[in-house]
């Protein structure tokens, strides 16, 4: 039964992927891509990976989809002429076959699951994924928040010189009594609650800074699109402080460990003192969530622009 | 068995994504294809990690990191494509223009 | 050391954050970071006798991530520090405008990404570092905002993203097969049939990012379209990072996986890159394109390490000649290429365009810059007593000692080609005409001169870096990848 | 850090430091005034005798400086000659175009020139040789005229060819020897004929072995006079020391050298420009030295080279002196020239006669006769030089700074061989005074003078300086045109091709346009991943 479900799910995923890849118009391709993302997050649920399912739905399908659709809205409808198909098809098929063979040839599972589950409580997070993200592989996570920052700096650098200093994205002109404005009044409080819950729950259950941050980013985008609040200028000190607050606190905590390690044997760069690990992780997560939310919202909004 | 199906599905997604990435010339479609490849790789890795019965949390953490990185790259790429569109009224690279 | 390694990893990132908060102080912040890192490196190199390992957060691999510094890492960290210091001193961005607000944090992020890569031992962490590097590099390549630069940046990104995906696939397969991501943990694992595919995917991805022929097409437009300080970083440092990962991967993690066919393929592509890049450089009319294609050629030398390491070369007076020579080449090329791009930037600003003819008479208007360019050219041509010479000497000697003199053909012909394509700008600079360049302050000419002198000093005093590289040198460097 | 005597190392480092000082802004305008300072430590070292081994492990691949007897002799001659030329340059190059650049390269060339005589390891020798060869380019083109640039181009092509051969030869030799030490490499070269031939080409370029001599008669007239003097007197001796240190005994070098000796002299007679004639004369003299080396006798060769360096230096400097002298000063100048010329020609009891007498013993009888006869051709070409020089206009009264170095070199060329005679050759002190020695050096001179009289009446028709290089240049140009024409016809697609890199460039440009397309490159990338995986499976 479950096998049948998985087969159907996979067929749907692959079908959506093919449609997204070859659809006649880009708009259709983008819509198929969002559908595809939702199917893939279902697949993650099948793999008991709730954290990933949330992340995939929120970021992979949600934000990336919005990103594509917004960009499409700015483009002229141009006819689409792809290149010759034979060589790409060969490359794609060859790679898929090789990977498929490799999957079957893999040895018995050699993962770190048991090791992680044993060590997770000592790291201050019962959710093993959170433990990996914020303790064992905290350096990855730290770099990843920096990647977000780098992308945003890169996006902002693409504004025209004349538009530099304006708020991110296009100037919004929304009718105050429109549908969007109505949504914009109702949804944000709900979204904010969901987002904060995801972070708080993240230490023990699925969820975490990235998932929560994405929900909050969606809220912020909605508020901005509904014209309820003006986004701050890209040169605003407050905005910039919020952007870097998460990585800064993260790095700061990491460094305290490094300095402590000079005379305290248990301390190390990126190590949290065990006694306060849980609260510190929650604190770091909250700061990260804030920064991630604002960064993601600004990323999707795009560089400041002075014309439509 | 179910896991194997999902793993092979991931491999297939990578192939489809690679095909689209190489075949399409419209830059937004390449961004889209890039994301298809990415999620295919993640599914492949996740399925491989789930073969032992209990899910391995390390791949999950890696995948969440990977999703964030892919989103960052996509956002920069889309912004570049739009800036390029404004600068030269083209949705493709110069060498791919007919 | 428990403080030095975190400093090296985190200070550029902290600097970038500070530069985001205070865009006007970008230059000051950058120079502050440079001073701290140079001091930290001095302490590190001074006290480095054996490789230093620092498990982050106290979590040992395979659970956690460990940073490790050996001679190779220290050499590349040093290269990055010297080049970045020069670039940050030379960069002309002021105020809080778009370019200044973007340049300083992005440059520091690029530095942070480089250091993260040079310190890391973890395959997935290397992937994240590579992505950070790519995003910062692409953004810098697009900084000028012209249509050409944007197209070049997009092309760069398309190539680089595909490279990242291939690398990531290989990493995923490696983890699936071995349950480990730490480079040091891999050699001891049971070999699996999937290892070949994983290694192939990772290697191909890194080849693209290193811009080895024939995957180099993105390089010349991107490097020549970026502003000069960015070009200097992109050309001198960025391809070295992915090559560094290749070195680590093949000489430390998977040395037993090498097969003659693979080694031959790498050597052949490297030789082809040397010749192809040289010929293309010869055909360019714009100086920045000449320099960029020269990078394509110079990258080719690096790949001769694969066929040359080991073999009869191990029985030479110098241990691991080819491996050491290739690392020397990477270092010397980094210094010389940064100097060249900075010179090109000065002339571009002084002449209004970067056509080679516009350089006529530059020796009178900007004598120090011309001198710097000529010194850098000496290293690129592999003339003594430069670092480029030491590198080429070690490589060619290894080729003969290994009984494979055909691998010496690339370096030797490459030197002649380099002489030919660098002769034109130098001859133009010395043309006996009144220069049409606007004057350039001497202070700005001093930076490329210092970098170019560094490339020469590397050859003159090759013993200290030579000894440094022997610290923690992988066994395969002498034995070969096979 | 540094083991052994420090003076040899200081001799090399000091000029480099001076070169840096010359490039500093406050010194730039007066940089020429630094030139006479450059050889001071080297003169001290030469006076004290260059002995012992200096080891600098941190420099290059571990630098070892140590000179054999021949190296020490030429080291001293080089220091003296550069000193004299440096003083001469104070006046002669007062108004040169770029004093700082010239001074910088002068110092670099000088350091390299000294380095080849004291280098005892492969890396130091190669670095020094490259410095002296390549930096001398700047001395050749210092005047910036079209003629100088063309001479410089040809010089550079041959110098780079020589460098490449040298590097390959050294690498092969070092590989065979398993050591960087020059004596061990030389010993190992006996079994490495390819490496030996590469080295002969490398040093042959430097000493001007026909047909590699073409740069000499072009570069000498083009360079400023003090530079020509060191070029001909000292820089070409880098090739001589190369032969001595590295090339094992090769019998066919004797005929090759003698052929060069006679050809050089004959070609010199076709010239009108005094410095071009001197250039050919150097080719001729170096041919004699190579013949001596081919016979395996390094001592007399070095002795001959030392004498030739001093005398030829005097001759070159005198070209500038004569041009600056009128009236009775002119007679003094021409007298100096004649003195030096007589010495080179081997007039009995001069240094040149001693040099020939010292060398003949090692040669086979036929070769010894040929060397004797070469006295006639040398007399002929130098006489011709004197005639041509005397026709050049002169004016004014020469500065002492021009006169003294020239005269001193000419006298040194006569005195120093006498001074060193017994210690160096081991022959009796009165051997040069023996009647048959005197006779064997006198009759060729007489013969030469007689022929000169004929030539002066009916000059030989003019051949452009550099002789065969004209033909080579034309062939290269034709080939290039042909390549480009065919390449362009084949590829109609290529727009606005630039005539560089010929057909390979056109092919590369087409390839580049393909590779720029992501469809191609990306497919190649994925296939490469699979292909690499495939190679790893085997």
């Amino acid at each position: 039964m479950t096998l049948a479900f998985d087969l159907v799910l996979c067929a749907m995923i692959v079908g959506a992927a093919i449609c997204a890849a070859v659809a006649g118009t880009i708009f259709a391709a983008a819509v198929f891509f969002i559908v595809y993302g939702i199917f893939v997050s279902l697949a993650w649920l099948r793999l008991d990976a709730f954290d990933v399912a949330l992340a995939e739905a929120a970021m992979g399908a949600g934000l990336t989809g919005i990103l594509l659709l917004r960009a499409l809205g700015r483009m002229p409808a141009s006819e689409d002429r792809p290149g010759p198909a034979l060589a790409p098809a060969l490359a794609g098929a060859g790679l898929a076959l090789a990977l498929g063979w490799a999957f079957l040839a893999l040895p018995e599972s050699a993962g770190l699951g048991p090791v992680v589950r044993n060590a997770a409580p000592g790291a201050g997070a019962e959710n093993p994924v959170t433990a990996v993200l914020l303790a064992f592989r905290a350096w990855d996570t730290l770099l990843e928040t920096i990647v977000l920052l780098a992308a945003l700096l890169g996006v902002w650098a693409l504004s025209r010189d004349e538009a530099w200093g304006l708020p991110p994205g296009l100037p919004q002109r929304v009718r105050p009594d429109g549908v969007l404005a109505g949504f914009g009044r109702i949804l944000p409080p709900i979204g904010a609650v969901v987002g904060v819950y995801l972070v708080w729950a993240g230490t023990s259950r699925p969820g975490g800074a990235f998932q929560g941050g994405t929900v909050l980013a969606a809220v912020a985008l909605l508020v901005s699109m509904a014209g309820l609040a003006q986004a701050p200028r890209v040169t605003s000190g407050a905005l910039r402080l919020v952007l870097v607050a998460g990585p800064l606190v993260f790095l700061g905590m990491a460094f305290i460990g490094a300095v402590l390690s000079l005379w305290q044997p248990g301390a190390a760069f990126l190590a949290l003192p065990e006694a306060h690990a849980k609260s510190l992780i929650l604190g770091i997560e909250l700061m990260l969530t804030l920064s991630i939310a604002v960064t993601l919202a600004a990323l999707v909004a795009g560089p400041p622009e002075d014309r439509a | 068995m179910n896991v194997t199906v999902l793993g092979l599905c991931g491999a297939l997604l990578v192939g489809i994504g690679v095909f689209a990435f190489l075949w399409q010339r419209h830059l937004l479609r390449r961004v889209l294809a890039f994301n298809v490849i990415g999620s295919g790789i993640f599914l492949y890795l996740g399925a491989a990690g789930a073969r032992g019965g209990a899910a391995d949390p390390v791949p999950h953490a890696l995948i969440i990191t990977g999703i964030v990185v892919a989103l960052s790259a996509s956002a920069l790429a889309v912004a570049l494509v739009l800036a390029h569109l404004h600068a030269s009224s083209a949705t493709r690279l110069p060498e791919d223009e007919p | 050391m428990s403080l030095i390694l975190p400093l090296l990893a985190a200070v550029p990132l902290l600097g970038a954050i500070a530069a985001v908060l205070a865009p006007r102080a970008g230059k000051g912040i950058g120079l502050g970071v440079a001073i701290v890192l140079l001091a930290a490196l001095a302490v590190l190199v001074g006290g480095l006798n054996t490789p230093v390992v620092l498990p982050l957060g106290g979590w040992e691999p395979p659970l956690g991530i460990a940073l490790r510094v050996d001679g190779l890492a220290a050499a590349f960290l040093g290269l990055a520090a010297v080049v970045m210091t020069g670039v940050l001193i030379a960069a002309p961005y002021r105020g809080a405008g778009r370019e200044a607000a973007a340049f300083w944090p992005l440059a520091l992020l690029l530095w942070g990404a480089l250091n993260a890569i040079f310190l890391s031992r973890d395959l997935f962490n290397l992937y994240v570092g590579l992505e950070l590097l790519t995003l910062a590099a692409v953004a810098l390549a697009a900084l000028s905002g012209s249509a050409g630069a944007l197209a070049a940046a997009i092309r760069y990104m398309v190539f680089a993203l595909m490279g990242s995906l291939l690398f990531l696939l290989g990493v995923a397969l490696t983890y699936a097969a071995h349950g480990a991501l730490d480079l040091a943990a891999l050699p001891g694992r049971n070999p699996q049939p999937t290892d070949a595919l994983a290694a192939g995917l990772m290697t191909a991805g890194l080849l693209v990012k290193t811009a080895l022929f024939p995957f180099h097409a993105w390089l010349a437009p991107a490097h020549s379209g970026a502003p000069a300080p960015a070009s200097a970083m992109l050309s001198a440092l960025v391809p070295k990072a992915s090559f560094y990962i290749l070195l680590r991967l093949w000489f430390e993690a998977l040395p037993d996986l090498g097969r003659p066919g693979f080694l031959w393929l790498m050597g052949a592509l490297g030789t082809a890159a040397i010749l192809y890049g040289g010929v293309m450089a010869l055909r360019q009319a714009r100086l920045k394109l000449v320099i960029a294609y020269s990078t394509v050629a110079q990258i080719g030398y690096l790949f001769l390490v694969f066929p040359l390491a080991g073999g009869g070369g191990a029985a030479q007076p110098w241990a691991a000649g080819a491996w050491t020579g290739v690392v020397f080449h990477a270092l010397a090329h980094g210094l010389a290429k940064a100097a060249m791009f900075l010179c090109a930037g000065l002339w571009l600003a002084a002449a209004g365009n970067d056509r080679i003819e516009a350089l006529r008479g530059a020796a009178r208007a900007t004598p120090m810059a011309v001198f710097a360019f000529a010194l850098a050219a000496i290293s690129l041509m592999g003339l003594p007593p430069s670092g480029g010479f030491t590198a080429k000497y070690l490589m060619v000697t290894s080729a003969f000692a290994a009984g494979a003199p055909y691998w010496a053909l690339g370096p030797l012909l490459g030197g002649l080609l380099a002489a030919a394509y660098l002769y034109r700008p130098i001859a133009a600079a010395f043309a006996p005409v009144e220069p049409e360049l606007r004057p350039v302050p001497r202070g700005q000419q001093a930076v490329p001169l210092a970098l170019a002198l560094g490339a020469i000093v590397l050859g003159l005093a090759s013993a200290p870096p030579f000894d440094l590289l022997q610290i923690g040198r992988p066994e395969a460097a002498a034995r070969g990848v096979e | 850090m540094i083991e052994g005597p420090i003076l040899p190392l200081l001799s090399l480092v000091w000029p480099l430091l001076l070169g840096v000082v010359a490039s500093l802004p406050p010194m730039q305008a007066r940089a020429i005034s630094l030139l006479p300072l450059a050889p001071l430590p080297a003169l001290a070292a030469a006076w004290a005798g260059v002995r012992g081994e200096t080891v600098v492990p941190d420099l290059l691949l571990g630098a070892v400086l140590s000179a054999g007897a021949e190296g020490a002799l030429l080291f001293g001659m080089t220091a003296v000659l550069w000193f004299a030329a440096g003083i001469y340059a104070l006046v002669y190059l007062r108004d040169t175009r770029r004093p700082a650049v010239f001074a910088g390269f002068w110092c670099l060339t000088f350091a390299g020139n000294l380095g080849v005589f004291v280098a005892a390891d492969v890396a130091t020798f190669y670095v020094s040789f490259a410095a002296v060869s390549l930096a001398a380019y700047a001395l050749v083109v210092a005047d910036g005229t079209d003629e100088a640039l063309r001479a410089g181009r040809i010089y550079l092509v041959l110098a780079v060819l020589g460098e490449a051969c040298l590097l390959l030869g050294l690498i092969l030799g070092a590989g065979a020897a398993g050591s960087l030490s020059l004596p061990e490499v030389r010993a190992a070269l006996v079994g490495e004929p390819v490496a030996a031939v590469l080295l002969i080409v490398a040093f042959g370029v430097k000493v001007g072995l026909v047909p590699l001599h073409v740069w000499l008669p072009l570069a000498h007239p083009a360079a400023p006079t003090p530079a020509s003097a060191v070029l001909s007197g000292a820089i070409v001796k880098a090739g001589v020391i190369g032969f001595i240190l590295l090339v094992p005994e090769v019998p066919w070098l004797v005929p090759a050298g003698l052929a060069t000796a006679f050809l050089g002299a004959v070609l010199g007679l076709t010239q009108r420009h005094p410095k071009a004639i001197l250039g050919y004369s150097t080719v001729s003299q170096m041919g004699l030295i190579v013949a001596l080396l081919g016979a395996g006798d390094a001592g007399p060769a070095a002795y001959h080279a030392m004498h030739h360096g001093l005398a030829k230096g005097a001759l070159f400097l005198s070209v500038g002196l004569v041009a600056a002298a009128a009236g009775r000063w002119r007679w003094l100048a021409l007298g100096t020239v004649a003195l030096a010329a007589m010495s080179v020609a081997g007039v009995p009891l001069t240094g040149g006669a001693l040099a020939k007498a010292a060398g003949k013993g090692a040669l086979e009888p036929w070769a010894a006769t040929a060397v004797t006869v070469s006295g006639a051709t040398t007399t002929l070409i130098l006489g011709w030089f004197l005639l041509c020089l005397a026709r050049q206009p002169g004016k004014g009264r020469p500065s002492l700074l021009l006169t003294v170095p020239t005269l001193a070199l000419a006298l040194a060329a006569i005195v120093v061989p006498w001074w060193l005679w017994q210690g160096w050759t081991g022959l009796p002190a009165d051997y040069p005074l023996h009647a048959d020695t005197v006779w064997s050096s006198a009759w060729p001179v007489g013969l030469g003078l007689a022929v000169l009289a004929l030539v002066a009446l009916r000059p030989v028709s003019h051949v452009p300086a550099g002789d065969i290089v004209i033909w080579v240049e034309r062939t290269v140009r034709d080939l290039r045109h042909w390549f480009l024409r065919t390449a362009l016809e084949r590829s109609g697609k290529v727009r606005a091709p630039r005539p560089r890199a010929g057909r390979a460039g056109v092919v590369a440009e087409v390839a580049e346009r393909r590779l720029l397309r992501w469809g191609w490159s990306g497919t190649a990338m994925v296939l490469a991943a699979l292909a690499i995986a495939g190679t790893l499976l085997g």
Side-chain angles (χ1 to χ4, degrees), chain A residues 111-146:
Chain A
L112 292 168
V115 191
V116 172
R117 265 184 282 277
N118 284 339
E126 286 132 64
N127 178 358
V129 177
T130 307
V132 175
L133 276 175
L134 287 174
F136 309 139
R137 302 188 66 89
W139 181 229
D140 274 353
T141 311
L142 181 52
L143 281 181
E144 168 194 1
T145 60
I146 302 276

Side-chain angles (χ1 to χ4, degrees), chain C residues 158-159 162 208 216-217 257 259 262 276 279 282-283 293 318 384 389 393 396 400 416 424 430 459-462, chain D residues 58-61 122 126-127 130 160 168 171-172 180 498 500 505 508-509 512 515 518 525-526 535-536 538:
Chain C
V158 166
F159 276 75
M162 188 62 165
V208 177
H216 67 282
L257 205 56
R259 297 285 179 278
F262 167 68
Y276 182 91
V279 169
L282 210 50
R283 289 184 67 81
Y293 275 109
W318 318 277
F389 166 70
Y393 184 80
V396 173
F400 281 103
L416 290 180
R424 292 190 301 128
F430 279 103
L460 268 179
S462 30
Chain D
D58 283 344
L59 195 66
L60 302 171
L61 300 167
V122 167
Y126 179 71
V127 168
V160 169
L168 264 180
I171 284 172
L172 284 173
L180 287 178
R498 279 177 293 280
R500 277 190 287 275
E509 206 139 289
E512 186 76 356
L515 291 172
W518 171 241
M525 213 177 276
V526 175
T535 63
L536 297 176

